[in-house]
Amino acid sequence: MKISCWTFIIALFHTVQCSYNLFRDHWEPNDNKYGYFPEEERVRMLDETRKMFQFGWDNYMKYAFPKDELNPIFCEGRGPDYDNPSNININDVLGDFSLTLVDTLDTLAIMGNSSEFKRAVDLVIQHVNFDKPNTVQVFEATIRILGALISAHLIVIDPKQPFGDMVPDFYDNELLELAHDVAGRLLPAFEDTLTGMPYPRINLLHGVPFDCINETCTAGVGTLLLEFGILSKLLDDPVYESVAKRALSALWSYRSNVTGLFGNVINIQTGEWIGQMSGLGAGIDSFYEYLFKAYIMFGDESYLAMFNESYENIKSHMRKGRAECNQGRGNPPLYVNVNMQNGETSNNWIDALQASWPANQVLNGDIEEAICSHAVYYAIWRKYGALPERYNWHLKAPDVTFYPLRPELVESTYILYQATKNPFYLHVGKDILNSLNNHTKAECGYATIHNVNDKDLEDRMESFFLSETCKYLYLLFDKDNYINKNAQEYLFTTEGHILPVKYEYRKHTSNLFFNKEFKSIRRKILQDEEKEEFQSDTVTVDARNNNSTLFNCKKIPEERRHFLPIKNRYLQQLELAVGLDID
């Protein structure tokens, strides 16, 4: 059967590393630091990650449940800000539906904690309901609540039970029913818009708020495909997948006819771009991620064609620096924010959410580029012991200083380790884990860093800390986890929830677009594309595309599968570029 580029690399292991070391002419400092990761240290890091998760989880259950989040400094629960409905930083996410409990379900399963998973499912069934007059963001409710419920339901009904016995007594599809309920409450957001793109917010009881704005971010339109699509498959109801497809179709039609890029904020009634900044971070990041993952999950080649075209446009207009990651002269490669209409640089900052981009590059087989993209963010992390929300690459200083325990750098570290098995990424994970314990551990959980410069804390532990940050760290160090040994069977959502890749989800998938322009683009892009092969009820996807990403894998010299993935001189160049003081 065919395998994707990164899946092939996963099979390459670094057991010959020591023999390579014997024949090296000289050692660089970074070779000594990153060239080897002892097995006993990996086991210790796995145990430390489990302890970190358990500390956060136990204290959420003790002090916060059934509220949405834990305030880890004062050891109390946090829910919606009823006194200030305009406080969207809180109210977009918290809907008084035990968010952290729901969001963490599949993490418990992946860690093999059968008894706690079953207890958590029972608590969700008993306590969670959505019949409340709370206004939440459609995007956040989809990725955190809907995606979590679907993922946990699929874990429960999986006949193989790969993580252990995760079937609660007397389970009768209650998680799926809850998913159906919340998705039904989100549907009115797609009604009464001239384009089919959804309103950004919905009141769970009353529908679209009377004062809801007509502007939403690109990610809010394009990051619905997996959750809505899988729900349609499970319910045998095409409505949910259809509204997500229609929204994406509209969004695609409003891309720039000059650069092919998208802005970050769009008017859902007119299609006018309110925010014309195009980048890979906040407001747009997961849109590109879901194009490729929706193709893998559902087999609709329209999604792949869209991703391929977008990837080329991103490289053409956003990528700055030398032509190759690991050779040549010039500045380090960097993807910057640009104006969607002309490709000119918009500002001098990158943001923390963009740290997930290397994971998308790995999935696309562009390993070499992913290595350098990741190295930029790791250098920033080393400088501060955290990742500031915005980092000004011109001033070599944060523009926005907080770090809310985001998972994106951990995610890319994990995916790159799976693709290369290079011990460098285990060292990165260890650095991140130690930083979290040293700088964010509070009285009864882990807290947001308010300012990465002085490490003062805010009293909030967002649900994605347990749902994603801990999960990706755990999987990084748990080499024998079923997920790692059977990577072709699962996709991660943008919230880190696992969804099985099944042949049945890829059947009866209609073409997404019908206009002649898109059909001609798709035919051109896919004319040399080989059809994926199916094996039993799972699919292994060949990620090659017309950009010949297979060659990107071949360009990685053999030695860098055992030594530094990015050459010493370029790693040191990056450290200087971010203003990192080297001992």
Side-chain angles (χ1 to χ4, degrees):
M1 72 177 178
K2 298 181 180 67
I3 60 175
S4 69
C5 180
W6 74 277
T7 306
F8 171 76
I9 295 180
I10 289 175
L12 299 174
F13 197 62
H14 59 284
T15 54
V16 297
Q17 176 184 3
C18 293
S19 61
Y20 269 89
N21 293 347
L22 294 175
F23 298 99
R24 297 206 69 171
D25 294 332
H26 65 280
W27 280 82
E28 299 282 354
N30 283 322
D31 293 322
N32 288 319
K33 181 176 181 179
Y34 297 113
Y36 177 65
F37 200 88
E39 175 64 11
E40 59 270 22
E41 187 69 357
R42 181 196 65 79
V43 174
R44 189 175 75 85
M45 288 297 102
L46 179 62
D47 185 57
E48 287 297 314
T49 304
R50 186 184 290 109
K51 289 177 181 177
M52 182 172 71
F53 170 82
Q54 205 64 48
F55 183 69
W57 170 255
D58 288 346
N59 281 294
Y60 166 75
M61 295 304 299
K62 181 178 180 179
Y63 295 109
F65 175 78
K67 290 191 175 181
D68 290 306
E69 289 180 347
L70 170 67
N71 289 343
I73 297 175
F74 287 101
C75 302
E76 59 189 14
R78 177 197 292 263
D81 186 350
Y82 291 110
D83 294 332
N84 182 14
S86 64
N87 184 3
I88 60 175
N89 180 51
I90 298 297
N91 294 329
D92 272 0
V93 178
L94 309 186
D96 192 20
F97 35 40
S98 302
L99 173 63
T100 299
L101 172 71
V102 176
D103 209 6
T104 309
L105 289 173
D106 66 327
T107 307
L108 292 166
I110 287 172
M111 290 185 171
N113 195 335
S114 174
S115 60
E116 193 67 2
F117 175 81
K118 293 177 183 178
R119 182 172 84 99
V121 170
D122 187 55
L123 288 173
V124 169
I125 293 170
Q126 291 181 42
H127 293 279
V128 175
N129 78 85
F130 306 106
D131 198 30
K132 300 175 179 180
N134 296 326
T135 298
V136 296
Q137 191 183 81
V138 173
F139 169 75
E140 293 289 0
T142 297
I143 66 172
R144 299 205 202 193
I145 292 291
L146 179 59
L149 291 169
I150 292 172
S151 177
H153 168 72
L154 291 171
I155 288 170
V156 171
I157 67 171
D158 187 344
K160 294 188 295 184
Q161 290 295 291
F163 309 109
D165 179 11
M166 299 292 164
V167 184
D169 295 335
F170 311 112
Y171 181 74
D172 190 25
N173 296 322
E174 288 92 345
L175 295 178
L176 180 60
E177 291 174 4
L178 284 170
H180 191 186
D181 182 19
V182 71
R185 295 172 188 272
L186 298 178
L187 277 183
F190 297 85
E191 301 171 1
D192 300 324
T193 72
L194 299 179
T195 63
M197 294 185 288
Y199 284 95
R201 296 178 180 86
I202 197 78
N203 185 286
L204 295 173
L205 193 59
H206 302 299
V208 178
F210 73 92
D211 58 348
C212 190
I213 61 175
N214 288 319
E215 300 168 7
T216 193
C217 65
T218 302
V221 178
T223 313
L224 309 169
L225 293 166
L226 290 181
E227 291 84 357
F228 276 62
I230 293 295
L231 184 64
S232 276
K233 306 298 184 185
L234 293 173
L235 298 176
D236 195 23
D237 182 350
V239 169
Y240 300 97
E241 185 175 22
S242 295
V243 296
K245 283 185 171 185
R246 182 180 175 223
L248 176 65
S249 177
L251 180 65
W252 182 260
S253 70
Y254 292 116
R255 70 195 187 282
S256 169
N257 59 8
V258 177
T259 65
L261 297 175
F262 299 81
N264 59 343
V265 180
I266 193 169
N267 186 301
I268 61 170
Q269 304 292 357
T270 65
E272 177 189 0
W273 288 102
I274 308 303
Q276 297 197 7
M277 188 193 80
S278 190
L280 299 172
I284 196 169
D285 55 329
S286 51
F287 161 62
Y288 296 117
E289 174 188 357
Y290 268 38
L291 289 180
F292 200 102
K293 289 183 177 180
Y295 163 67
I296 295 174
M297 183 64 73
F298 303 120
D300 190 329
E301 293 173 342
S302 302
Y303 299 137
L304 178 61
M306 294 168 70
F307 179 85
N308 286 342
E309 181 179 318
S310 297
Y311 199 79
E312 280 295 299
N313 293 331
I314 288 168
K315 277 197 166 183
S316 296
H317 299 289
M318 296 184 198
R319 190 187 186 281
K320 309 299 179 183
R322 62 177 174 271
E324 301 293 339
C325 169
N326 261 299
Q327 62 184 20
R329 296 182 179 181
N331 293 322
L334 184 69
Y335 289 82
V336 304
N337 300 317
V338 301
N339 184 289
M340 65 171 290
Q341 302 295 356
N342 54 32
E344 294 180 358
T345 302
S346 295
N347 49 57
N348 296 329
W349 54 260
I350 53 178
D351 69 44
L353 288 168
Q354 188 176 325
S356 65
W357 179 244
N360 297 326
Q361 293 178 301
V362 171
L363 194 63
N364 191 37
D366 204 352
I367 312 295
E368 190 73 81
E369 282 287 297
I371 287 169
C372 269
S373 297
H374 173 275
V376 172
Y377 283 92
Y378 178 47
I380 299 171
W381 182 283
R382 287 181 61 203
K383 182 176 181 179
Y384 298 102
L387 204 58
E389 192 70 357
R390 286 184 183 177
Y391 179 79
N392 190 306
W393 44 265
H394 180 69
L395 299 178
K396 301 182 182 180
D399 276 350
V400 180
T401 61
F402 69 89
Y403 169 66
L405 308 174
R406 289 199 186 279
E408 283 76 16
L409 179 59
V410 188
E411 174 189 3
S412 291
T413 301
Y414 162 65
I415 296 298
L416 268 165
Y417 179 67
Q418 290 304 305
T420 65
K421 295 301 185 199
N422 193 300
F424 173 84
Y425 296 106
L426 295 176
H427 285 280
V428 175
K430 178 182 176 180
D431 283 352
I432 293 172
L433 177 59
N434 288 339
S435 293
L436 291 170
N437 276 323
N438 291 337
H439 302 312
T440 72
K441 192 171 184 179
E443 179 68 22
C444 56
Y446 289 81
T448 292
I449 295 177
H450 177 71
N451 189 321
V452 297
N453 292 302
D454 57 23
K455 307 300 187 296
D456 60 323
L457 299 178
E458 293 181 16
D459 197 13
R460 184 178 186 183
M461 186 177 82
E462 295 221 35
S463 68
F464 53 63
F465 174 70
L466 298 178
S467 174
E468 297 184 83
T469 306
C470 290
K471 179 186 295 168
Y472 286 125
L473 277 172
Y474 186 86
L475 287 172
L476 174 66
F477 294 115
D478 187 13
K479 68 177 184 180
D480 296 321
N481 196 281
Y482 184 85
I483 293 287
N484 292 333
K485 291 191 170 183
N486 300 272
Q488 76 281 0
E489 295 183 17
Y490 295 94
L491 278 180
F492 290 95
T493 71
T494 197
E495 185 69 9
H497 300 304
I498 56 169
L499 297 175
V501 181
K502 295 185 176 183
Y503 173 63
E504 63 197 71
Y505 297 157
R506 298 168 63 89
K507 294 187 296 184
H508 312 301
T509 303
S510 61
N511 290 332
L512 179 57
F513 296 114
F514 302 96
N515 64 75
K516 294 180 180 179
E517 176 195 7
F518 185 82
K519 283 190 172 183
S520 65
I521 293 173
R522 190 180 67 177
R523 281 195 297 269
K524 180 179 183 297
I525 291 177
L526 298 176
Q527 61 184 354
D528 297 324
E529 180 71 19
E530 295 182 3
K531 303 296 183 181
E532 60 272 9
E533 292 183 344
F534 302 98
Q535 185 181 34
S536 81
D537 66 338
T538 63
V539 183
T540 301
V541 178
D542 187 340
R544 289 176 292 176
N545 55 37
N546 67 307
N547 300 325
S548 300
T549 54
L550 180 63
F551 293 107
N552 288 319
C553 294
K554 289 183 176 179
K555 285 192 297 186
I556 300 175
E558 180 69 20
E559 68 173 27
R560 287 207 330 279
R561 293 173 180 169
H562 312 288
F563 303 115
L564 282 178
I566 180 170
K567 292 178 182 178
N568 261 294
R569 64 180 181 272
Y570 295 129
L571 182 59
Q572 292 168 0
Q573 181 193 35
L574 270 175
E575 292 168 343
L576 291 173
V578 303
L580 178 62
D581 293 328
I582 308 300
D583 296 332

